[in-house]
Amino acid sequence: MNYLTHLFLAQPNADSHYGNLLGDFRKGVALATLSNGVSRGLENHYTVDKFTDSHASVKQAKALFKPEHRRFAPVAIDMLFDHLLITHWARFSTIPFEAFCEHSFSLLEKKLPVMPTTMQRSVSHMITHNWFADYAEFEGIGYAIQAVAKRIRFKNDFAQCVQDIEANFTSLNSLFLGFFPALIEHVQQHGPERGTPSGLITV
């Protein structure tokens, strides 16, 4: 669900943007049919997820959630970290946030016809309704979490994660600021795409 982060760390081309988001929609995709550029983007997605899941700051962030909510904490943290990336955008990028979004959306639009159906729907909705503008406000994250909770097919307490975020926001913000520079460095040094991420390139 940390779509903005994956686009920030993608390369500034359509294949990479497609591949870096495809990781969340890969079910049923014939990987052998993907171009080299899309495949590298997909591998970059996995690199980001693996580093994120194993990082000490993220583990500390998960521990701040109540035990009964920790099942959903990783998704809530992904969404919160996208919000915090927007909040602290100027720390990490010299590109105006709106310009970055416009460029990323234009690249994704080029690949809409070949995306899996579920991805096509989500990305179309993301572009049309500019999800990232909503993520810029804390209330937008709350609405997004509630929307995801409603789509889960079993009774769940995912929406209650908002309370944990509110109660621990200062700590979560500090953990993000320690984590994100390390993630950028890791992708630049060890990511399969071997280039400067989109969020660091002037468009």
Side-chain angles (χ1 to χ4, degrees), residues 48-64 77 81 171-172 174-180 182-183:
V48 170
D49 283 356
K50 183 177 180 180
F51 182 83
T52 299
D53 291 343
S54 63
H55 197 274
S57 292
V58 177
K59 292 180 178 179
Q60 291 176 47
K62 292 176 184 176
L64 294 173
I77 290 169
F81 278 13
S171 295
L172 289 165
S174 296
L175 290 168
F176 169 79
L177 290 175
F179 159 74
F180 200 72
L183 175 61

Side-chain angles (χ1 to χ4, degrees), residues 10-202:
Q11 295 299 295
N13 62 72
D15 277 0
S16 177
H17 270 55
Y18 173 29
N20 272 274
L21 287 195
L22 182 61
D24 289 321
F25 303 93
R26 63 188 178 274
K27 185 177 181 180
V29 174
L31 300 182
T33 66
L34 301 176
S35 70
N36 288 336
V38 175
S39 294
R40 285 194 297 271
L42 180 59
E43 288 302 317
N44 200 62
H45 178 109
Y46 297 147
T47 297
V48 170
D49 283 356
K50 183 177 180 180
F51 182 83
T52 299
D53 291 343
S54 63
H55 197 274
S57 292
V58 177
K59 292 180 178 179
Q60 291 176 47
K62 292 176 184 176
L64 294 173
F65 287 72
K66 293 180 180 178
E68 59 268 29
H69 301 158
R70 281 183 197 153
R71 177 179 184 179
F72 300 103
V75 179
I77 290 169
D78 277 352
M79 299 168 80
L80 173 66
F81 278 13
D82 267 5
H83 164 71
L84 293 174
L85 173 55
I86 300 170
T87 300
H88 301 293
W89 187 263
R91 290 186 182 222
F92 304 111
S93 179
T94 59
I95 308 165
F97 177 65
E98 293 77 11
F100 173 85
C101 292
E102 183 178 351
H103 184 62
S104 289
F105 288 165
S106 70
L107 293 177
L108 289 171
E109 283 181 323
K110 294 178 181 179
K111 289 296 181 179
L112 278 173
V114 299
M115 290 179 183
T117 302
T118 54
M119 182 178 185
Q120 193 177 77
R121 285 198 299 263
S122 291
V123 172
S124 294
H125 199 270
M126 177 197 304
I127 294 170
T128 300
H129 298 281
N130 194 358
W131 287 1
F132 299 147
D134 292 338
Y135 276 26
E137 303 296 330
F138 182 80
E139 291 79 6
I141 294 298
Y143 294 145
I145 287 175
Q146 291 173 19
V148 172
K150 291 177 181 177
R151 292 201 298 269
I152 298 173
R153 296 180 181 178
F154 54 87
K155 186 177 180 180
N156 65 86
D157 294 324
F158 183 36
Q160 303 304 314
C161 287
V162 176
Q163 298 175 6
D164 295 325
I165 292 172
E166 289 175 333
N168 298 282
F169 188 82
T170 300
S171 295
L172 289 165
N173 183 61
S174 296
L175 290 168
F176 169 79
L177 290 175
F179 159 74
F180 200 72
L183 175 61
I184 294 174
E185 181 179 1
H186 180 78
V187 169
Q188 287 182 302
Q189 293 184 359
H190 304 289
E193 295 190 285
R194 303 277 189 248
T196 304
S198 289
L200 304 181
I201 296 175
T202 302

